[in-house]
Amino acid sequence: MTQLSEIGEFGLIATIAKNFAELIPHECSGIGDDCAIIPIGKDKSLVVTTDMLVEDVHFLRDRITSYELGYKSLAVNLSDIAAMGALPHSTFLSISLPSDISIEWCEGFFAGYRAHNVALLGGDTTKSTEKITINVTAIGTVDNENIKLRKGAKAGDKIYVTSTLGDSAGGLQSILQNRPNKELIKAHNLPRPHIAEGLELSVNKNVTAMMDISDGLASDIRHILEASNVGAKIELSKIPISNTLLNSGLNAMELALTGGEDYCLLFCAAPDAEFAKYRQIGEITSSNICKIVWCEHDIPTERSFDGFTHF
Amino acid sequence: MTQLSEIGEFGLIATIAKNFAELIPHECSGIGDDCAIIPIGKDKSLVVTTDMLVEDVHFLRDRITSYELGYKSLAVNLSDIAAMGALPHSTFLSISLPSDISIEWCEGFFAGYRAHNVALLGGDTTKSTEKITINVTAIGTVDNENIKLRKGAKAGDKIYVTSTLGDSAGGLQSILQNRPNKELIKAHNLPRPHIAEGLELSVNKNVTAMMDISDGLASDIRHILEASNVGAKIELSKIPISNTLLNSGLNAMELALTGGEDYCLLFCAAPDAEFAKYRQIGEITSSNICKIVWCEHDIPTERSFDGFTHF
């Protein structure tokens, strides 16, 4: 018997994708981007994504309010919709609950979920023996010409992020170490999906590749590099880090590069484009294919960083 | 604190539906049928459904092979697609797995899932601390004029089912009581979604209402009665029951009426239509609104039957 941990999450996904490849309708695009793409009509597509949150893996029941959990369950999916440059259309929610959950808990959960003002069109409510599991499927709409993918980054492109990094991971540390830091915990429990940013970038033809940061910059940017068959040079001094995280006593740079659940956008754009609102953190290279060269003041460092992986 | 069990699954769903009603796009139809409906273009719609299977609630890991579990996880969703008269288009799978699951188990699961020959366009694989949880979202396509809903049944309509009832519940009893009955266990572990039947009935204008039987006839038919504002008379002697179930030593009639997970179709049709292939089990009445009158040889009985409910 081979344990799942030997091939890991991405190994499992690769195996699945290979086995199902021939079933994918020719007009659709499936596993490999933030969302699957289902064309509707001539000029438009639906994008679809799904995410599962498991108690004691993705959250601790007594460290997050049910409002925050409801908010976050949908936020992580809306972030994937944003990453495609799409507008959220509707959602589906499945939730399994142990019988000791109160109606008040449920009310809080649905108030948080509803705060995003996106339609809930269906779902499944069921019992569990002990733990809470939540699965959301979200659907968005997008004009075909505005869809942003992970592939498309070209050597010379600049690399940007739409907000500071690491606050959410700092929040998780703050929760686990019982050193409550309100602002960081808010970043972790109530992550804002960057929908407006995604829509704005979707209509900009200079943007060549886009995704959201959910497993941490160091892990996620590899998806763009692999899909685009390019390399990247990242300048550590340009990584945007909040003062809150810098002053928290935590390892801010490590968290900013490898901490998960930031749910901001990571994008590449042609070198002559300007994005005053967003922070440029590096550039795409034609050398070091699929690799990241971390630089400090333009000099490559020996440090290595890895993002979060499941299993 | 109020316990969830006090309002039950349908109480919870009603509360959710009410809270989210105003967010539903005007052209869409949400909670209340087997699938949500999302129109695409002028004449076509997507139908979308989602179902969660939880270890020790919906299945026992050592009593079902991973192939069967993969098959069943998708089957229960395809059954909802069939109930709308739609053709399966694509699916999304989320699965949380404890770390002691082997790769061989995963391979069996995906082989069973793939047996339906429907595309897998995305999903989420994640760790769990102990139990397996599976969530599938399935999407189908249907011509608007062929969509079948729960509402639409009229007094005088005949009520039909597309297969024998109770075999799946008999299989569950057989598993739980350690009295292995291969055929019944197969009905429980490998339920066939009635897609071909659904497509055939969808183009028949005589069919006024349709749904799939997942919680048991006695419970499910109430959804048609409530949506259509009618009553029903069901003739017990007409309920189709397999010889396997009749000879199993189990309470066949009770299981046929209240046992869940049959995953066949229940439909109503104009009285002058003929359906030689399917069994007529009763008729829709204008009296006894939202109630079922159970009859034995046309004489109402005092017996009452209830289907399965969560919480």
Side-chain angles (χ1 to χ4, degrees):
Chain A
M1 299 282 271
T2 319
Q3 294 292 304
L4 194 53
S5 51
E6 291 179 38
I7 61 166
E9 180 191 12
F10 294 119
L12 178 60
I13 293 171
T15 308
I16 300 167
K18 207 176 113 192
N19 271 310
F20 283 84
E22 68 189 64
L23 292 179
I24 296 178
H26 70 278
E27 74 278 11
C28 291
S29 139
I31 298 164
D33 243 289
D34 287 281
C35 295
I37 302 171
I38 301 176
I40 51 169
K42 222 175 46 175
D43 308 319
K44 270 182 151 329
S45 289
L46 294 182
V47 297
V48 186
T49 185
T50 192
D51 263 299
M52 187 174 260
L53 296 185
V54 181
E55 182 175 347
D56 291 344
V57 176
H58 299 94
F59 63 92
L60 301 167
R61 200 194 304 185
D62 60 352
R63 302 294 179 91
I64 188 166
T65 68
S66 66
Y67 179 94
E68 290 167 335
L69 189 58
Y71 183 94
K72 186 168 183 172
S73 302
L74 184 46
V76 302
N77 284 278
L78 295 182
S79 179
D80 284 323
I81 300 284
M84 305 294 286
L87 181 71
H89 175 274
S90 53
T91 68
F92 295 80
L93 167 70
S94 296
I95 184 166
S96 69
L97 297 168
S99 49
D100 61 343
I101 286 289
S102 68
I103 293 175
E104 290 77 9
W105 190 96
C106 294
E107 284 169 350
F109 181 89
F110 284 103
Y113 193 97
R114 201 187 179 296
H116 296 285
N117 272 310
V118 181
L120 175 65
L121 289 189
D124 194 11
T125 57
T126 183
K127 210 166 55 174
S128 78
T129 50
E130 197 188 340
K131 302 281 166 69
I132 300 169
T133 303
I134 299 152
N135 192 83
V136 173
T137 302
I139 298 178
T141 56
V142 62
D143 289 338
N144 292 341
E145 60 176 350
N146 295 338
I147 296 176
K148 299 300 180 191
L149 303 174
R150 295 176 179 183
K151 68 180 181 195
K154 287 180 183 53
D157 281 356
K158 292 179 183 167
I159 303 168
Y160 296 85
V161 289
T162 59
S163 77
T164 56
L165 300 180
D167 283 0
S168 174
L172 179 60
Q173 289 305 316
S174 160
I175 291 168
L176 295 177
Q177 298 174 16
N178 269 315
R179 303 198 298 187
N181 181 316
K182 260 193 180 172
E183 229 171 301
L184 296 181
I185 292 176
K186 191 180 166 202
H188 185 70
N189 285 350
L190 292 169
R192 180 179 70 81
H194 287 209
I195 296 164
E197 291 86 339
L199 289 170
E200 176 206 326
L201 294 167
S202 75
V203 296
N204 188 321
K205 300 298 169 211
N206 288 308
V207 176
T208 55
M210 189 157 76
M211 69 178 300
D212 78 327
I213 300 184
S214 55
D215 289 341
L217 174 67
S219 170
D220 284 330
I221 196 172
R222 289 176 206 279
H223 297 298
I224 286 183
L225 303 186
E226 283 163 20
S228 302
N229 201 35
V230 290
K233 202 172 76 170
I234 306 273
E235 175 58 48
L236 296 180
S237 67
K238 289 186 177 170
I239 299 289
I241 301 179
S242 71
N243 286 327
T244 312
L245 184 60
L246 286 172
N247 298 329
S248 65
L250 298 163
N251 186 336
M253 182 57 79
E254 181 85 21
L255 292 172
L257 299 182
T258 68
E261 307 205 81
D262 282 316
Y263 299 113
C264 63
L265 300 177
L266 167 70
F267 68 95
C268 303
D272 45 343
E274 290 289 336
F275 296 90
K277 276 200 286 188
Y278 305 124
R279 185 77 73 97
Q280 191 210 330
I281 60 168
E283 63 187 57
I284 296 294
T285 59
S286 56
S287 55
N288 297 304
I289 305 294
C290 299
K291 291 206 180 75
I292 309 159
V293 176
W294 304 100
C295 296
E296 282 177 302
H297 305 290
D298 228 25
I299 298 160
T301 73
E302 292 299 305
R303 295 165 68 183
S304 86
F305 303 96
D306 290 300
F308 178 77
T309 50
H310 293 286
F311 301 118
Chain B
M1 298 283 272
T2 318
Q3 294 294 302
L4 194 53
S5 53
E6 289 179 40
I7 62 167
E9 180 192 10
F10 294 120
L12 177 60
I13 294 171
T15 308
I16 301 166
K18 208 176 113 191
N19 270 309
F20 283 84
E22 69 190 59
L23 291 179
I24 295 180
H26 70 279
E27 75 280 9
C28 292
S29 141
I31 298 163
D33 245 286
D34 287 280
C35 295
I37 302 171
I38 301 176
I40 51 168
K42 223 176 48 177
D43 307 319
K44 272 183 150 325
S45 287
L46 295 182
V47 296
V48 187
T49 185
T50 191
D51 263 298
M52 188 174 258
L53 297 185
V54 181
E55 183 176 348
D56 291 343
V57 176
H58 299 94
F59 65 91
L60 302 167
R61 200 193 304 183
D62 60 354
R63 301 296 179 92
I64 189 166
T65 67
S66 65
Y67 179 94
E68 290 167 335
L69 189 58
Y71 183 94
K72 186 168 183 172
S73 300
L74 183 46
V76 304
N77 284 277
L78 296 182
S79 180
D80 284 323
I81 299 283
M84 305 295 285
L87 181 71
H89 175 274
S90 53
T91 68
F92 295 81
L93 167 70
S94 296
I95 184 165
S96 69
L97 297 168
S99 48
D100 60 343
I101 287 289
S102 68
I103 292 175
E104 290 77 9
W105 190 96
C106 294
E107 284 169 349
F109 182 89
F110 284 102
Y113 192 96
R114 201 188 180 294
H116 296 286
N117 272 310
V118 180
L120 175 66
L121 289 189
D124 195 10
T125 57
T126 182
K127 210 166 53 173
S128 79
T129 50
E130 197 189 338
K131 301 282 167 71
I132 299 168
T133 303
I134 300 151
N135 193 83
V136 174
T137 302
I139 298 179
T141 55
V142 63
D143 288 338
N144 292 340
E145 59 176 351
N146 295 337
I147 297 176
K148 299 301 178 188
L149 303 173
R150 295 176 180 183
K151 70 180 179 195
K154 286 182 182 56
D157 282 356
K158 291 177 183 169
I159 304 168
Y160 296 83
V161 289
T162 58
S163 76
T164 56
L165 300 180
D167 282 0
S168 174
L172 179 60
Q173 288 306 314
S174 161
I175 291 168
L176 295 177
Q177 297 174 17
N178 269 314
R179 303 196 300 186
N181 181 315
K182 260 193 180 172
E183 228 171 304
L184 296 181
I185 292 175
K186 189 181 166 199
H188 185 70
N189 284 351
L190 291 169
R192 180 179 68 81
H194 286 208
I195 295 163
E197 292 86 339
L199 288 171
E200 176 206 325
L201 293 166
S202 76
V203 295
N204 188 322
K205 299 298 170 212
N206 288 307
V207 176
T208 55
M210 189 156 79
M211 70 178 299
D212 79 327
I213 300 185
S214 55
D215 288 342
L217 174 67
S219 170
D220 285 329
I221 196 171
R222 288 176 206 279
H223 297 298
I224 286 183
L225 304 186
E226 283 164 17
S228 302
N229 201 35
V230 290
K233 204 172 77 172
I234 306 274
E235 175 58 46
L236 296 181
S237 66
K238 289 185 177 171
I239 299 290
I241 301 179
S242 71
N243 286 328
T244 312
L245 184 59
L246 286 172
N247 297 329
S248 65
L250 297 163
N251 187 335
M253 182 57 79
E254 182 85 22
L255 292 172
L257 299 181
T258 68
E261 307 205 82
D262 284 315
Y263 299 112
C264 62
L265 300 177
L266 167 69
F267 68 95
C268 303
D272 46 344
E274 291 290 335
F275 295 90
K277 277 200 285 188
Y278 305 125
R279 187 76 74 96
Q280 190 209 332
I281 59 168
E283 63 186 58
I284 297 294
T285 60
S286 57
S287 56
N288 297 303
I289 305 294
C290 298
K291 290 207 180 77
I292 308 158
V293 177
W294 302 101
C295 297
E296 283 178 302
H297 305 292
D298 228 27
I299 298 161
T301 74
E302 292 299 306
R303 296 163 69 181
S304 85
F305 303 97
D306 290 301
F308 179 77
T309 50
H310 294 285
F311 300 120

PDB file of all heavy atoms in Angstrom, chain B residues 151-168:
ATOM      1  N   LYS B 151     -43.167  21.545  -9.509  1.00  0.00           N
ATOM      2  CA  LYS B 151     -44.492  22.145  -9.650  1.00  0.00           C
ATOM      3  C   LYS B 151     -45.042  21.775 -11.021  1.00  0.00           C
ATOM      4  O   LYS B 151     -44.283  21.465 -11.933  1.00  0.00           O
ATOM      5  CB  LYS B 151     -44.430  23.666  -9.484  1.00  0.00           C
ATOM      6  CG  LYS B 151     -43.762  24.409 -10.610  1.00  0.00           C
ATOM      7  CD  LYS B 151     -43.763  25.916 -10.326  1.00  0.00           C
ATOM      8  CE  LYS B 151     -43.064  26.651 -11.476  1.00  0.00           C
ATOM      9  NZ  LYS B 151     -42.713  28.029 -11.126  1.00  0.00           N
ATOM     10  N   GLY B 152     -46.339  21.779 -11.175  1.00  0.00           N
ATOM     11  CA  GLY B 152     -46.928  21.476 -12.475  1.00  0.00           C
ATOM     12  C   GLY B 152     -47.884  20.295 -12.441  1.00  0.00           C
ATOM     13  O   GLY B 152     -48.673  20.093 -13.358  1.00  0.00           O
ATOM     14  N   ALA B 153     -47.837  19.519 -11.343  1.00  0.00           N
ATOM     15  CA  ALA B 153     -48.767  18.381 -11.227  1.00  0.00           C
ATOM     16  C   ALA B 153     -50.191  18.894 -11.055  1.00  0.00           C
ATOM     17  O   ALA B 153     -50.426  19.881 -10.348  1.00  0.00           O
ATOM     18  CB  ALA B 153     -48.370  17.519 -10.032  1.00  0.00           C
ATOM     19  N   LYS B 154     -51.153  18.248 -11.746  1.00  0.00           N
ATOM     20  CA  LYS B 154     -52.551  18.689 -11.716  1.00  0.00           C
ATOM     21  C   LYS B 154     -53.458  17.554 -11.261  1.00  0.00           C
ATOM     22  O   LYS B 154     -53.167  16.377 -11.523  1.00  0.00           O
ATOM     23  CB  LYS B 154     -52.967  19.140 -13.115  1.00  0.00           C
ATOM     24  CG  LYS B 154     -52.354  20.483 -13.481  1.00  0.00           C
ATOM     25  CD  LYS B 154     -52.782  20.978 -14.847  1.00  0.00           C
ATOM     26  CE  LYS B 154     -52.074  22.306 -15.132  1.00  0.00           C
ATOM     27  NZ  LYS B 154     -50.562  22.150 -15.022  1.00  0.00           N
ATOM     28  N   ALA B 155     -54.568  17.903 -10.614  1.00  0.00           N
ATOM     29  CA  ALA B 155     -55.525  16.885 -10.181  1.00  0.00           C
ATOM     30  C   ALA B 155     -55.885  16.001 -11.367  1.00  0.00           C
ATOM     31  O   ALA B 155     -56.161  16.498 -12.458  1.00  0.00           O
ATOM     32  CB  ALA B 155     -56.772  17.570  -9.615  1.00  0.00           C
ATOM     33  N   GLY B 156     -55.900  14.701 -11.139  1.00  0.00           N
ATOM     34  CA  GLY B 156     -56.210  13.754 -12.198  1.00  0.00           C
ATOM     35  C   GLY B 156     -54.965  13.152 -12.837  1.00  0.00           C
ATOM     36  O   GLY B 156     -55.022  12.067 -13.433  1.00  0.00           O
ATOM     37  N   ASP B 157     -53.804  13.856 -12.710  1.00  0.00           N
ATOM     38  CA  ASP B 157     -52.548  13.300 -13.244  1.00  0.00           C
ATOM     39  C   ASP B 157     -52.268  11.949 -12.608  1.00  0.00           C
ATOM     40  O   ASP B 157     -52.566  11.714 -11.428  1.00  0.00           O
ATOM     41  CB  ASP B 157     -51.360  14.232 -12.931  1.00  0.00           C
ATOM     42  CG  ASP B 157     -51.285  15.434 -13.864  1.00  0.00           C
ATOM     43  OD1 ASP B 157     -52.107  15.511 -14.799  1.00  0.00           O
ATOM     44  OD2 ASP B 157     -50.408  16.301 -13.630  1.00  0.00           O
ATOM     45  N   LYS B 158     -51.673  11.071 -13.392  1.00  0.00           N
ATOM     46  CA  LYS B 158     -51.216   9.805 -12.839  1.00  0.00           C
ATOM     47  C   LYS B 158     -49.796   9.966 -12.313  1.00  0.00           C
ATOM     48  O   LYS B 158     -49.021  10.777 -12.830  1.00  0.00           O
ATOM     49  CB  LYS B 158     -51.249   8.720 -13.919  1.00  0.00           C
ATOM     50  CG  LYS B 158     -52.670   8.333 -14.332  1.00  0.00           C
ATOM     51  CD  LYS B 158     -52.630   7.310 -15.447  1.00  0.00           C
ATOM     52  CE  LYS B 158     -54.031   6.972 -15.923  1.00  0.00           C
ATOM     53  NZ  LYS B 158     -53.986   6.178 -17.189  1.00  0.00           N
ATOM     54  N   ILE B 159     -49.456   9.194 -11.278  1.00  0.00           N
ATOM     55  CA  ILE B 159     -48.124   9.247 -10.660  1.00  0.00           C
ATOM     56  C   ILE B 159     -47.366   7.967 -11.000  1.00  0.00           C
ATOM     57  O   ILE B 159     -47.908   6.864 -10.846  1.00  0.00           O
ATOM     58  CB  ILE B 159     -48.238   9.376  -9.121  1.00  0.00           C
ATOM     59  CG1 ILE B 159     -49.081  10.602  -8.757  1.00  0.00           C
ATOM     60  CG2 ILE B 159     -46.855   9.441  -8.474  1.00  0.00           C
ATOM     61  CD1 ILE B 159     -49.491  10.649  -7.287  1.00  0.00           C
ATOM     62  N   TYR B 160     -46.125   8.134 -11.468  1.00  0.00           N
ATOM     63  CA  TYR B 160     -45.320   6.988 -11.896  1.00  0.00           C
ATOM     64  C   TYR B 160     -43.958   6.973 -11.203  1.00  0.00           C
ATOM     65  O   TYR B 160     -43.458   8.020 -10.785  1.00  0.00           O
ATOM     66  CB  TYR B 160     -45.032   7.062 -13.407  1.00  0.00           C
ATOM     67  CG  TYR B 160     -46.227   6.976 -14.308  1.00  0.00           C
ATOM     68  CD1 TYR B 160     -47.004   8.107 -14.587  1.00  0.00           C
ATOM     69  CD2 TYR B 160     -46.569   5.771 -14.923  1.00  0.00           C
ATOM     70  CE1 TYR B 160     -48.092   8.043 -15.430  1.00  0.00           C
ATOM     71  CE2 TYR B 160     -47.664   5.695 -15.785  1.00  0.00           C
ATOM     72  CZ  TYR B 160     -48.417   6.839 -16.037  1.00  0.00           C
ATOM     73  OH  TYR B 160     -49.489   6.767 -16.875  1.00  0.00           O
ATOM     74  N   VAL B 161     -43.356   5.795 -11.152  1.00  0.00           N
ATOM     75  CA  VAL B 161     -41.931   5.675 -10.784  1.00  0.00           C
ATOM     76  C   VAL B 161     -41.225   4.886 -11.874  1.00  0.00           C
ATOM     77  O   VAL B 161     -41.837   4.039 -12.538  1.00  0.00           O
ATOM     78  CB  VAL B 161     -41.717   4.993  -9.411  1.00  0.00           C
ATOM     79  CG1 VAL B 161     -42.149   5.915  -8.283  1.00  0.00           C
ATOM     80  CG2 VAL B 161     -42.453   3.671  -9.326  1.00  0.00           C
ATOM     81  N   THR B 162     -39.927   5.156 -12.042  1.00  0.00           N
ATOM     82  CA  THR B 162     -39.206   4.532 -13.166  1.00  0.00           C
ATOM     83  C   THR B 162     -38.507   3.226 -12.806  1.00  0.00           C
ATOM     84  O   THR B 162     -37.829   2.635 -13.647  1.00  0.00           O
ATOM     85  CB  THR B 162     -38.159   5.505 -13.765  1.00  0.00           C
ATOM     86  OG1 THR B 162     -37.248   5.894 -12.739  1.00  0.00           O
ATOM     87  CG2 THR B 162     -38.819   6.732 -14.369  1.00  0.00           C
ATOM     88  N   SER B 163     -38.621   2.765 -11.549  1.00  0.00           N
ATOM     89  CA  SER B 163     -38.082   1.434 -11.219  1.00  0.00           C
ATOM     90  C   SER B 163     -38.704   0.931  -9.922  1.00  0.00           C
ATOM     91  O   SER B 163     -39.514   1.636  -9.308  1.00  0.00           O
ATOM     92  CB  SER B 163     -36.556   1.468 -11.082  1.00  0.00           C
ATOM     93  OG  SER B 163     -36.195   2.046  -9.849  1.00  0.00           O
ATOM     94  N   THR B 164     -38.292  -0.257  -9.505  1.00  0.00           N
ATOM     95  CA  THR B 164     -38.751  -0.773  -8.222  1.00  0.00           C
ATOM     96  C   THR B 164     -38.198   0.103  -7.107  1.00  0.00           C
ATOM     97  O   THR B 164     -37.191   0.791  -7.278  1.00  0.00           O
ATOM     98  CB  THR B 164     -38.250  -2.216  -8.002  1.00  0.00           C
ATOM     99  OG1 THR B 164     -36.828  -2.223  -8.129  1.00  0.00           O
ATOM    100  CG2 THR B 164     -38.867  -3.160  -9.031  1.00  0.00           C
ATOM    101  N   LEU B 165     -38.858   0.073  -5.978  1.00  0.00           N
ATOM    102  CA  LEU B 165     -38.460   0.909  -4.835  1.00  0.00           C
ATOM    103  C   LEU B 165     -37.973   0.038  -3.681  1.00  0.00           C
ATOM    104  O   LEU B 165     -38.428  -1.100  -3.531  1.00  0.00           O
ATOM    105  CB  LEU B 165     -39.653   1.757  -4.370  1.00  0.00           C
ATOM    106  CG  LEU B 165     -40.262   2.728  -5.391  1.00  0.00           C
ATOM    107  CD1 LEU B 165     -41.431   3.483  -4.752  1.00  0.00           C
ATOM    108  CD2 LEU B 165     -39.212   3.699  -5.904  1.00  0.00           C
ATOM    109  N   GLY B 166     -37.100   0.583  -2.889  1.00  0.00           N
ATOM    110  CA  GLY B 166     -36.728  -0.062  -1.630  1.00  0.00           C
ATOM    111  C   GLY B 166     -35.491  -0.935  -1.674  1.00  0.00           C
ATOM    112  O   GLY B 166     -34.964  -1.317  -0.617  1.00  0.00           O
ATOM    113  N   ASP B 167     -35.014  -1.270  -2.857  1.00  0.00           N
ATOM    114  CA  ASP B 167     -33.845  -2.155  -2.944  1.00  0.00           C
ATOM    115  C   ASP B 167     -32.627  -1.543  -2.247  1.00  0.00           C
ATOM    116  O   ASP B 167     -31.883  -2.239  -1.539  1.00  0.00           O
ATOM    117  CB  ASP B 167     -33.483  -2.435  -4.412  1.00  0.00           C
ATOM    118  CG  ASP B 167     -34.416  -3.469  -5.030  1.00  0.00           C
ATOM    119  OD1 ASP B 167     -35.322  -3.944  -4.315  1.00  0.00           O
ATOM    120  OD2 ASP B 167     -34.261  -3.781  -6.218  1.00  0.00           O
ATOM    121  N   SER B 168     -32.410  -0.236  -2.448  1.00  0.00           N
ATOM    122  CA  SER B 168     -31.253   0.414  -1.846  1.00  0.00           C
ATOM    123  C   SER B 168     -31.338   0.381  -0.317  1.00  0.00           C
ATOM    124  O   SER B 168     -30.363   0.056   0.364  1.00  0.00           O
ATOM    125  CB  SER B 168     -31.157   1.854  -2.337  1.00  0.00           C
ATOM    126  OG  SER B 168     -30.126   2.525  -1.668  1.00  0.00           O
TER     127      SER B 168
END
